[in-house]
């Protein structure tokens, strides 16, 4: 029987996992990155959700991030900043596992790991395919998260919230924002991944494992992508929290264009940039954390492979 020599890890750039790398390693690296990203920055994400709500109650009107933080802390207590975090922790693991595994597979198939040159098309397509797959998993968890984050939420657990949404609005409520989510996350991910890969290759041409590179590249890429896609994030928030609104028109919003028209009619163009600052403040460190955690996991698995090959 013919034997196959193990693939030497040294033949591959650090930034790319070897093409024969196990799916389990890709999934584990992605899950680790996703949970780290979402949980660490969750309090700021909660503020962003509050600030994006159209026609909020008087007690939930904030002038900025610091005002929102102090008001929520004083009136509702520090635990409010973490309402719904279990939904994110539960969904982010599998969603980001699929996210990065899909990204690596598509980028490899399109030749994005060849040489040291930039491959923006392969990176953008890989990122877009990744977000389509991961958002299908994450969207219901995101709906539950935002229902628990809004002011006056009565839900005490994700199961209670999920059952309430299902009974009153049906299964479709968990995916009513999915098309809008994709219209936001596809350009967000394409911009973020392309920016990240380009920036990291410029400041780290050797492509060796360097946490500082991943922090800077991830933070800049996340801030840039978040700023550009904020208008769509506002529309997504409206659709995902419509069931908690007292406003009948908001409760009846059915899709992207209807929700976008409602935002424009109520607040004009400035309405599409509600929560811009907390979104960027969330995106910069969370994207930096996500990429750093993912690259750390990649480095660990590559080091394990190298040690295994050396032992043979």
């Amino acid at each position: 029987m013919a034997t196959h020599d193990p693939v030497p890890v040294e033949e591959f750039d650090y930034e790319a996992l070897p093409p024969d790398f196990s799916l389990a390693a890709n999934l584990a690296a992605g899950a680790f990155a996703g949970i780290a990203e979402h949980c660490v920055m969750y309090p700021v994400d909660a503020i962003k959700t509050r600030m994006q709500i159209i026609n909020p109650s008087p007690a939930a009107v904030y002038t900025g991030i610091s005002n929102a933080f102090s008001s929520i802390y004083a009136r509702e207590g520090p635990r409010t900043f973490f309402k719904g975090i279990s939904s994110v922790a539960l969904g982010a693991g599998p969603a980001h596992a699929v996210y990065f595994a899909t990204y690596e597979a598509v980028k490899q198939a399109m030749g994005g790991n060849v040489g040291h040159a930039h491959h923006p098309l392969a990176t953008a397509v890989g990122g877009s395919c990744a977000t389509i797959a991961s958002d299908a998993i994450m969207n219901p968890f995101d709906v539950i998260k935002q229902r628990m984050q809004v002011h006056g939420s009565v839900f005490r657990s994700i199961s209670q919230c999920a059952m309430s949404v299902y009974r009153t609005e049906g299964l479709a409520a968990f995916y009513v924002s999915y098309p809008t989510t994709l219209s936001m996350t596809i350009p967000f991910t394409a911009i973020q991944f392309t920016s990240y890969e380009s920036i990291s290759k410029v400041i780290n041409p050797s492509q060796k494992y360097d946490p500082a590179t991943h922090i800077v590249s991830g933070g800049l890429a996340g801030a840039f992508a978040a700023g550009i896609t904020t208008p769509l994030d506002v529309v997504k928030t409206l659709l995902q929290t419509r069931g908690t609104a007292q406003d009948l028109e908001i409760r009846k919003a059915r899709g992207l264009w209807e929700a976008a028209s409602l935002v424009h009619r109520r607040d004009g163009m400035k309405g599409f940039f509600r929560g811009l600052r907390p979104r960027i403040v969330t995106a910069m460190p969370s994207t930096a954390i996500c990429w750093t955690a993912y690259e750390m996991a990649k480095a660990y698995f590559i080091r394990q492979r190298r040690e295994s090959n050396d032992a043979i």
Side-chain angles (χ1 to χ4, degrees):
M1 182 182 293
T3 59
H4 300 278
D5 294 332
V7 179
V9 175
E10 289 79 7
E11 290 183 5
F12 298 96
D13 292 335
Y14 156 69
E15 294 291 340
L17 287 172
D20 69 332
F21 224 63
S22 72
L23 177 62
N26 265 315
L27 294 174
F32 175 63
I35 293 172
E37 170 194 357
H38 286 286
C39 291
V40 171
M41 294 307 299
Y42 193 82
V44 185
D45 182 70
I47 291 174
K48 183 215 73 170
T49 296
R50 294 282 188 99
M51 293 182 70
Q52 287 183 337
I53 297 295
I54 303 294
N55 193 24
S57 64
V61 176
Y62 312 110
T63 59
I65 299 176
S66 58
N67 174 254
F69 181 85
S70 59
S71 296
I72 294 170
Y73 185 89
R75 296 173 183 172
E76 304 171 58
R79 295 181 62 182
T80 303
F81 293 107
F82 295 94
K83 287 190 68 174
I85 193 171
S86 55
S87 178
V88 166
L90 191 61
H96 274 68
V98 171
Y99 184 78
F100 281 107
T102 302
Y103 168 66
E104 293 285 358
V106 174
K107 189 176 75 165
Q108 173 68 29
M110 293 189 65
N113 294 328
V114 177
H116 294 276
H118 293 283
H119 299 281
L121 180 60
T123 302
V125 173
S128 298
C129 292
T131 199
I132 291 171
S134 67
D135 283 343
I137 298 172
M138 192 65 192
N139 211 80
F141 294 98
D142 202 42
V143 170
I144 294 169
K145 177 203 77 171
Q146 290 201 312
R147 294 292 180 98
M148 297 182 73
Q149 285 177 329
V150 297
H151 178 263
S153 175
V154 297
F155 303 117
R156 295 186 175 278
S157 68
I158 60 173
S159 59
Q160 180 196 10
C161 182
M163 289 303 298
S164 175
V165 172
Y166 179 74
R167 283 196 303 267
T168 57
E169 301 171 60
L171 186 62
F174 293 104
Y175 283 97
V176 68
S177 63
Y178 184 56
T180 304
T181 297
L182 291 182
S183 71
M184 177 194 70
T185 55
I186 288 176
F188 177 91
T189 308
I191 293 168
Q192 182 211 144
F193 275 59
T194 304
S195 301
Y196 174 80
E197 295 280 355
S198 299
I199 295 170
S200 62
K201 285 184 178 181
V202 169
I203 64 178
N204 184 22
S206 67
Q207 297 189 33
K208 294 180 180 179
Y209 175 61
D210 177 23
T213 294
H214 308 313
I215 291 171
V216 173
S217 301
L220 292 175
F224 183 53
I228 291 176
T229 57
T230 292
L232 289 165
D233 191 50
V234 171
V235 175
K236 177 181 77 76
T237 297
L238 185 148
L239 290 171
Q240 290 191 164
T241 60
R242 62 178 189 168
T244 64
Q246 300 300 314
D247 189 310
L248 187 60
E249 188 179 19
I250 293 176
R251 289 184 70 89
K252 290 184 175 180
R254 288 287 179 264
L256 175 93
W257 298 113
E258 189 175 338
S261 296
L262 194 158
V263 172
H264 186 266
R265 191 165 59 253
R266 296 285 184 89
D267 293 334
M269 289 304 297
K270 69 177 183 180
F272 291 104
F273 293 93
R274 283 174 169 267
L276 174 65
R277 289 182 180 178
R279 178 165 163 77
I280 292 176
V281 168
T282 302
M284 282 192 73
S286 65
T287 308
I289 290 167
C290 182
W291 278 109
T292 303
Y294 180 62
E295 301 291 1
M296 183 187 301
K298 280 172 60 174
Y300 170 77
F301 287 124
I302 289 174
R303 185 172 65 251
Q304 291 292 102
R305 168 67 68 84
R306 182 180 294 117
E307 292 174 355
S308 176
N309 286 353
D310 290 343
I312 297 177

